[in-house]
Amino acid sequence: MKKHNFSAGPCILPQEVFKEASQAILDFNNSGLSILEISHRSADFVSVMEEAQSLALELLGLQDKGYKALFLQGGASMQFLMVAYNLLEKKAAYLNTGTWSSKAIKEAKLFGGVVEVASSKDKNFNYIPKSYSIPEDIDYFHCTSNNTIFGTQMKEFPATSKPLVCDMSSDIFSREMDFSKFDIIYAGAQKNMGPAGTTLVIVKEDVLGKVSREIPSMMDYSTHISKDSMFNTPAVYAVYVSMLTLRWIKSKGGIKAMEELNNKKAELLYSEVDRNPLFKGFAAKEDRSPMNATFNLVDESHKDVFDKMWKDAGVNGLNGHRSVGGYRASMYNALPLESVQVVVDCMKELERKK
Ligand SMILES: *Cc1c(COP(=O)(O)O)cnc(C)c1O
């Protein structure tokens, strides 16, 4: 039986995508070859890469606006240093909203000065800092749109005349926004777009070429732009499955349709968290993420009973990250509303039994 999969990442993808992707392993495009055994330079794969890149830009509304979409390797974690390698000459400003921001800050410090404009560490990152100012003498401002571990999401982005860089790993393609505010957007595929192994990087070309250091070819965005993400062998299968997922998003009505469903799922879950006296939410209400909902039991002694209940109901991946404890329901684009209902029913059932 298919599980209700709330895993934080790698995570659920659409069933249609799994079917098509598994078929391509046996016979890709009726070619008599598996997608796993063809050259990344073959016409069939080059068209996959092109479609993936153009779908990403199209869905984000960034076509013909000076942006390039790249599919790179090394995860979002590699972007923590690549961003600084390519953009940081003297000083950059970072907003620290959790584990991933902290890691990005650590890497950037190897390349230049880093100003942490604000941090929510004082409350174990359960909120998004709002009143801070961004210095004028910086090379760029970096933030994390959605904090996968703590379950907070930035609803507003600060206005700055400097390049805006954003780690959108866990909420890309989940909500409508004016993406043209950003100069670099990056996202590990495995949270909302595809399998692990590739990272989408959207680069506005005019932010490049401004640092004086030599950049190794593999670390240089310009290399990957000039080679259309084929400077070295790309993660062929991960790009292919990401492309199928992007097609799926488009066929369902694009980001707008994703956002509508994501809001329904979030509303269903959070309203039960708030109503049910046995549970309490972790993140500050106004900063709650529709992607990753974090909540705890008020009385930990109910843990064993509740855990057995949701596991018996076919739910997977509901345990919270060790730095928050409790539960985390990751409700990415491909998770159906019915799966959220199953968890809500378990929460109600626990209340009845107690
Ligand atoms: C998972 C995650 C990362 C790390 O991604 P990798 O691809 O494992 O390097 C970075 N940022 C955010 C917001 C994440 O959710």
Side-chain angles (χ1 to χ4, degrees):
M1 188 189 87
K2 175 74 179 103
K3 293 265 167 93
H4 300 286
N5 190 10
F6 288 82
S7 173
C11 66
I12 188 169
L13 293 173
Q15 282 302 304
E16 298 95 305
V17 167
F18 285 142
K19 283 206 187 90
E20 202 171 343
S22 59
Q23 175 55 35
I25 289 184
L26 297 173
D27 187 0
F28 177 49
N29 285 354
N30 295 316
S31 62
L33 293 164
S34 164
I35 183 143
L36 302 181
E37 63 181 335
I38 59 168
S39 167
H40 59 294
R41 310 262 176 222
S42 63
D44 275 352
F45 183 71
V46 169
S47 84
V48 166
M49 179 62 95
E50 285 171 358
E51 187 175 344
Q53 293 172 340
S54 82
L55 276 172
L57 292 177
E58 182 189 335
L59 289 167
L60 298 172
L62 294 177
Q63 265 170 332
D64 306 318
K65 292 189 175 156
Y67 290 86
K68 282 278 160 36
L70 303 172
F71 283 88
L72 306 182
Q73 295 174 61
S77 300
M78 181 79 98
Q79 294 311 307
F80 297 162
L81 64 119
M82 257 176 103
V83 163
Y85 229 136
N86 285 266
L87 263 50
L88 180 47
E89 180 78 11
K90 290 204 176 75
K91 197 159 104 182
Y94 278 69
L95 178 63
N96 191 355
T97 53
T99 309
W100 300 115
S101 311
S102 306
K103 290 189 176 184
I105 290 168
K106 175 169 183 267
E107 300 305 306
K109 283 180 175 163
L110 298 171
F111 297 87
V114 171
V115 188
E116 200 176 290
V117 293
S119 166
S120 45
K121 197 169 182 199
D122 57 336
K123 291 190 177 161
N124 197 20
F125 298 113
N126 77 348
Y127 71 104
I128 303 283
K130 303 201 183 56
S131 52
Y132 51 88
S133 55
I134 299 177
E136 269 305 307
D137 60 338
I138 53 163
D139 299 314
Y140 63 90
F141 174 73
H142 179 285
C143 57
T144 311
S145 57
N146 186 75
N147 301 284
T148 326
I149 293 176
F150 301 95
T152 60
Q153 184 183 57
M154 291 178 76
K155 312 291 177 190
E156 307 273 347
F157 292 84
T160 166
S161 60
K162 300 296 167 180
L164 185 55
V165 179
C166 190
D167 175 359
M168 294 195 189
S169 293
S170 51
D171 68 351
I172 192 150
F173 304 119
S174 74
R175 56 170 165 163
E176 289 196 297
M177 251 200 270
D178 175 9
F179 293 96
S180 70
K181 292 198 278 226
F182 300 92
D183 295 273
I184 293 189
I185 295 170
Y186 61 90
Q190 73 276 14
K191 303 280 165 57
N192 216 6
M193 188 180 68
T198 190
T199 308
L200 173 64
V201 185
I202 309 276
V203 183
K204 194 166 191 193
E205 283 189 89
D206 65 10
V207 296
L208 301 180
K210 301 198 171 138
V211 290
S212 54
R213 72 173 62 84
E214 295 273 338
I215 306 175
S217 313
M218 268 298 277
M219 290 291 110
D220 191 341
Y221 290 127
S222 307
T223 307
H224 298 289
I225 290 172
S226 68
K227 300 289 182 190
D228 283 319
S229 304
M230 300 265 204
F231 171 67
N232 70 317
T233 316
V236 169
Y237 195 62
V239 173
Y240 174 65
V241 181
S242 299
M243 185 277 283
L244 293 179
T245 311
L246 295 174
R247 265 190 198 164
W248 175 86
I249 294 173
K250 186 176 171 182
S251 75
K252 294 286 167 192
I255 296 183
K256 186 178 192 310
M258 297 294 121
E259 181 171 22
E260 278 166 17
L261 179 60
N262 290 332
N263 285 343
K264 273 192 200 145
K265 290 183 283 183
E267 167 67 23
L268 179 59
L269 187 75
Y270 283 121
S271 61
E272 179 61 16
V273 167
D274 291 339
R275 186 207 62 79
N276 193 320
L278 300 184
F279 294 92
K280 58 178 191 295
F282 172 77
K285 274 191 188 173
E286 73 272 19
D287 300 325
R288 281 174 168 176
S289 163
M291 293 281 96
N292 312 96
T294 45
F295 55 100
N296 298 72
L297 278 163
V298 173
D299 178 354
E300 279 291 324
S301 73
H302 298 149
K303 180 174 160 44
D304 291 347
V305 176
F306 183 58
D307 288 359
K308 182 169 184 326
M309 238 174 223
W310 57 261
K311 281 176 190 162
D312 287 350
V315 169
N316 174 67
L318 204 63
N319 284 318
H321 188 273
R322 60 191 176 281
S323 48
V324 178
Y327 302 97
R328 169 173 54 170
S330 295
M331 302 179 283
Y332 297 116
N333 286 345
L335 185 87
L337 186 63
E338 301 81 72
S339 293
V340 180
Q341 189 63 55
V342 170
V343 169
V344 166
D345 289 345
C346 290
M347 294 166 79
K348 290 189 198 299
E349 177 69 12
L350 183 71
E351 186 191 18
R352 265 191 300 276
K353 283 195 174 166
K354 289 294 143 186

